[in-house]
Amino acid sequence: MTIKKITEINITGKRVLIRSDLNVPIEKGVIQSDARILASLPTIEFAIKKNAKVIIMSHLGRPKEECYTKEYSLFPIFEYFKKKFNYTKIYFSDNFLEDVQLNSGEIAILENTRFNKGELDNHDKLSKKYSNICDIFVMDAFGSAHRMQSSTYGVGKFVKVACAGLLLINEINALKKALKKPKRPMVAIIGGSKVSTKFNVLNKLATIADTIIVGGGIANTFLAIDYKIGKSLHEPDFIFEAKKLRDKYNIIVPIDSRVGENFCKNEKSIIKLPNNITENEEIMDFGDKSIEKIIHILKQSQTIIWNGPVGVFEFPNFRKGTEMIAKTIADSHAFSIAGGGDTLSVIDMFNIKNNISYISTGGGAFLEFIEGKKLPAIHMLEEHFKKQINN
């Protein structure tokens, strides 16, 4: 894979359109986690230091196309940037389909790309409008690199110069380090609600990792191979596929679980073996014996890939499994890479971000890269590189 990097291009005085991933949780106008914003800053800061005219665009949430709603506005992120970049002029534009006038070293934050007609469908008309407001397009939103949309992919068809930002390059390098020649033993922890959404990544990791630890609804589907698991979240249609994986590879399934009768915050937890779970109970976390076994495995590992919590960590009584695994990874000397929205929430909850080797901003992109899929945005950058070589 060969792509042009922002550090290899003269951007001084140029209109540089950076597609960042500023899709952060916002409640009543207040940013709840700035992890993705912080990850995007190095590319933006580099462009400012090079005296470029910096234009930043991103999506936020899932608004209805062409329907402005305050809930999905990037204005709170503009307010955040004003405080962060108090040494330079910064503007907010809610109509950026016309030219954006900036001086060198100034910043414009553009309104949510998903308010624009044609964004999700990758319409050429919108993609051309994006390309018309810049001299150089910088793709830096790894979390959206798997989406073929106007602001992530289509714009690349019409700009003369397209390159990768610092975050995108770091994401690719970190994932390659974990997947290509990992130090062993290599352990993958895959949690979450549905095995169907992560079945391909489980298949791929099973051929790379020495051990796979499954948690959440995914683990429940594996448990359902041999046990009745009450009303626990699982996918009956995937039990047969799960069995084939379990029988072929080293997949660690919980040997005991924390269960409750009601899915609510204050529900008390009871630890049970899988063969003792009643029809009115549901599994919501690992039990202590499972936690002890997994901690032992993690302490021996040299590479750890972590995607997803192993229980309902939002509920205090069903948090222990996720918490103990998270803290063990943080204390480990292994090269650790973590990704996925819920995983980022766990990292924030236990304040361990400085103890993870690399935190990926991607969710779907993180998983698709691990599966070995070609991400559309990266493919677009590769095609641009080829054109530049041929010209």
Side-chain angles (χ1 to χ4, degrees):
M1 180 182 65
T2 309
I3 57 180
K4 206 77 172 176
K5 304 171 187 175
I6 189 174
T7 51
E8 299 170 334
I9 295 173
N10 179 15
I11 63 172
T12 301
K14 304 288 179 64
R15 298 172 302 162
V16 177
L17 177 60
I18 303 175
R19 177 46 162 104
S20 299
D21 183 4
L22 308 177
N23 184 32
V24 297
I26 298 175
E27 291 182 12
K28 297 180 180 178
V30 179
I31 295 170
Q32 303 300 303
S33 171
D34 63 354
R36 282 185 171 141
I37 301 177
L38 293 173
S40 299
L41 289 180
T43 299
I44 297 165
E45 289 168 341
F46 175 83
I48 293 169
K49 286 177 183 177
K50 291 294 182 180
N51 233 17
K53 301 170 184 178
V54 182
I55 307 165
I56 303 166
M57 66 176 174
S58 174
H59 78 283
L60 177 67
R62 298 177 181 273
K64 189 175 179 181
E65 191 173 271
E66 289 192 287
C67 292
Y68 170 86
T69 51
K70 189 176 180 180
E71 176 188 1
Y72 294 113
S73 173
L74 263 69
F75 192 79
I77 293 169
F78 163 67
E79 294 286 341
Y80 178 103
F81 270 74
K82 277 203 301 185
K83 295 175 183 176
K84 200 75 178 176
F85 295 99
N86 56 13
Y87 55 85
T88 190
K89 287 187 178 179
I90 182 166
Y91 307 92
F92 182 75
S93 175
D94 57 3
N95 180 20
F96 61 91
L97 298 183
E98 303 301 328
D99 195 17
V100 179
Q101 298 297 324
L102 288 175
N103 294 315
S104 295
E106 295 181 346
I107 304 172
I109 305 286
L110 309 181
E111 186 54 288
N112 193 340
T113 59
R114 290 190 176 172
F115 289 157
N116 297 322
K117 183 179 180 180
E119 167 65 13
L120 297 180
D121 294 332
N122 189 34
H123 281 186
D124 282 354
K125 185 177 179 180
L126 178 61
S127 299
K128 284 179 183 177
K129 287 184 176 180
Y130 289 145
S131 70
N132 288 338
I133 64 171
C134 71
D135 303 305
I136 298 165
F137 173 64
V138 181
M139 179 56 187
D140 204 36
F142 178 76
S144 297
H146 62 310
R147 296 191 175 109
M148 193 177 285
Q149 297 173 357
S150 284
S151 69
T152 61
Y153 178 84
V155 59
K157 291 165 59 179
F158 302 102
V159 293
K160 290 183 179 179
V161 181
C163 62
L166 302 177
L167 172 61
L168 185 65
I169 294 297
N170 288 340
E171 293 270 10
I172 293 169
N173 289 341
L175 283 165
K176 280 185 175 179
K177 180 178 178 180
L179 297 171
K180 291 294 176 71
K181 291 184 179 179
K183 289 186 177 180
R184 298 193 180 276
M186 176 186 176
V187 177
I189 303 164
I190 305 296
S193 59
K194 293 184 177 181
V195 70
S196 57
T197 60
K198 297 184 179 180
F199 188 73
N200 289 336
V201 79
L202 281 170
N203 263 310
K204 181 69 175 181
L205 283 173
T207 65
I208 302 171
D210 299 290
T211 304
I212 293 180
I213 297 163
V214 290
I218 295 172
N220 296 344
T221 301
F222 279 88
L223 284 170
I225 297 168
D226 300 312
Y227 304 101
K228 293 181 179 180
I229 55 172
K231 57 181 182 179
S232 303
L233 177 66
H234 71 292
E235 292 180 279
D237 292 345
F238 272 82
I239 291 174
F240 178 72
E241 296 295 335
K243 185 179 186 303
K244 286 200 296 184
L245 269 178
R246 184 202 65 179
D247 293 347
K248 187 175 181 180
Y249 299 105
N250 185 27
I251 296 178
I252 304 299
V253 179
I255 53 177
D256 62 346
S257 304
R258 281 181 164 78
V259 305
E261 294 187 2
N262 301 294
F263 190 84
C264 62
K265 187 175 182 179
N266 298 320
E267 179 71 4
K268 291 183 179 180
S269 65
I270 303 169
I271 297 178
K272 284 194 169 186
L273 298 174
N275 58 345
N276 290 331
I277 295 170
T278 63
E279 63 181 14
N280 63 331
E281 292 174 329
E282 61 181 310
I283 300 167
M284 289 190 275
D285 192 14
F286 286 172
D288 289 344
K289 289 181 180 178
S290 299
I291 293 170
E292 184 180 347
K293 179 180 179 180
I294 289 162
I295 287 174
H296 176 74
I297 293 169
L298 291 174
K299 284 183 175 179
Q300 310 303 314
S301 64
Q302 293 297 313
T303 302
I304 301 170
I305 290 181
W306 173 28
N307 176 259
V310 299
V312 188
F313 70 98
E314 299 91 342
F315 298 169
N317 295 329
F318 299 94
R319 183 176 294 164
K320 187 175 181 180
T322 299
E323 179 178 5
M324 295 303 294
I325 286 172
K327 290 181 175 178
T328 302
I329 295 171
D331 292 338
S332 171
H333 295 295
F335 175 74
S336 54
I337 181 165
D342 285 340
T343 314
L344 296 182
S345 298
V346 171
I347 289 168
D348 282 344
M349 177 179 284
F350 301 121
N351 194 27
I352 58 171
K353 66 180 179 180
N354 294 329
N355 301 101
I356 306 294
S357 304
Y358 191 82
I359 299 172
S360 174
T361 56
F366 177 82
L367 294 175
E368 288 191 19
F369 192 99
I370 291 173
E371 286 176 38
K373 290 183 178 179
K374 178 71 72 175
L375 305 186
I378 295 175
H379 175 70
M380 176 270 293
L381 293 174
E382 289 175 336
E383 291 300 306
H384 254 273
F385 185 85
K386 289 177 186 176
K387 286 180 185 176
Q388 290 168 12
I389 294 296
N390 293 333
N391 293 336

